[in-house]
Amino acid sequence: MTITPAAPAIDVIGAVQLLSRHAENASAFLALNDETRHFTAPGIDGLVAYRPAGRRWLVQLGGPFAARAEQPALLAAFEAWAAGQRRRVLAVQLLRHDAELYAGSGYVVNQLGSSYSISLEGYSLRGRKMVKVRNMVNRAHREGITVAEVPYAQRAAVTGALDAIDAAWLGAKGRHTKELAFMIGERDGRGAPYRRLFVAQYDGRPVGYVSCAPVYGVESGWLYDLTRRAPDAPPGVIEAVFAHAVEVFQAEGAGWLHLGLTPFAGMDPSVEVPGANRRMVKLGGFLSTRGHKIYPAATQASFKLKWLPQVTRPEYIAFAGKVRLGGMYALGKLTRTV
């Protein structure tokens, strides 16, 4: 089934400028991933980021990226266009105000997980609670790890080495493991010039890196996105990269470092919006505590919580009309979790 474009495609610069005007979601820059498409509507300064999934679904990332007053109209336009394509809408990574908009528009909305954020003002790795992290950073430096940011113009020189880290990192997770997609960033692609890349070197070769994406809105700063470490890298590599990135961002005056969404983490029935599906609430609780084979929520949350983020927020998933197993399966295939 082909999809008829709703409007002329918005270019990368235009999309970045639009997000800088309207995006409040810390993960909004994932809309610039290569295969993610953009819906626009005449007369509305906004876009909807989405991907087709299977034959019957459009999976939307975040809410409508537009001024608050225009979000309902942009959502309605996207729904009408999706209906014309004979596809249903499933939205993920919605913030609370998005969740309330979707619930009021006839969607069934449930918590998907939690995201974590660090206010960089006054933040440091000092103190008793951060002693383990400091020890790992110091250990990495004693082993000879060095960390530096690689500007976009110089990245071609390390691309092969970073590709090898990606392959080794994925291979260490098991023969059948697939790299996650859609709800995670990309090192390369059309958004690459806007991302920041911090690389750790050991014995003259890259052994780990972190890629960060820009975050706009009231809590502007950076999204700590992709993390990769070579299996044979000395302990403390990622901690050292993280510490270096924090120092760079603080020196630049950035306000926030966002750690992103962890699906099925921090599941709490008290944050559900009215009309939440009860079976989904129970399923979310089960996956949070016993669903590690589907997604390692506890491990991912533990990694983020060790940095002592000051803010934890619920994020939501919304099904048009009602929860459908076909939509959940389509999302799993799209993100490569099934």
Side-chain angles (χ1 to χ4, degrees), residues 62-88:
F65 298 124
R68 288 283 184 101
E70 293 190 306
Q71 288 176 356
L74 181 55
L75 175 59
F78 179 65
E79 290 174 322
W81 175 73
Q85 308 300 307
R86 299 173 62 189
R87 288 178 178 257
R88 301 185 179 100

Side-chain angles (χ1 to χ4, degrees), residues 11-134:
D11 63 18
V12 174
I13 294 176
V16 170
Q17 292 174 342
L18 190 152
L19 293 176
S20 70
R21 290 193 296 272
H22 300 306
E24 299 176 34
N25 192 316
S27 296
F29 198 80
L30 301 186
L32 271 292
N33 284 359
D34 269 2
E35 295 184 17
T36 299
R37 306 181 187 185
H38 302 144
F39 171 89
T40 59
I44 299 177
D45 182 38
L47 67 82
V48 172
Y50 73 94
R51 285 191 194 181
R55 293 180 55 81
R56 294 296 182 190
W57 291 90
L58 298 178
V59 180
Q60 179 192 351
L61 177 76
F65 298 124
R68 288 283 184 101
E70 293 190 306
Q71 288 176 356
L74 181 55
L75 175 59
F78 179 65
E79 290 174 322
W81 175 73
Q85 308 300 307
R86 299 173 62 189
R87 288 178 178 257
R88 301 185 179 100
V89 175
L90 168 63
V92 295
Q93 291 201 248
L94 301 178
L95 301 181
R96 180 71 191 199
H97 69 269
D98 300 316
E100 292 172 351
L101 168 63
Y102 281 67
S105 300
Y107 286 70
V108 176
V109 181
N110 281 84
Q111 186 185 5
L112 176 60
S114 297
S115 59
Y116 305 89
S117 301
I118 295 170
S119 173
L120 291 175
E121 183 177 359
Y123 180 80
S124 79
L125 302 184
R126 296 190 298 270
R128 179 177 56 83
K129 293 183 179 180
M130 299 294 278
V131 64
K132 291 184 178 179
V133 173
R134 288 199 309 276

Side-chain angles (χ1 to χ4, degrees), residues 217-239:
V218 176
E219 295 180 352
S220 62
W222 297 92
L223 172 67
Y224 181 92
D225 193 8
L226 283 183
T227 301
R228 298 288 186 267
R229 174 185 181 276
D232 62 347
V237 165
I238 296 303
E239 287 82 358

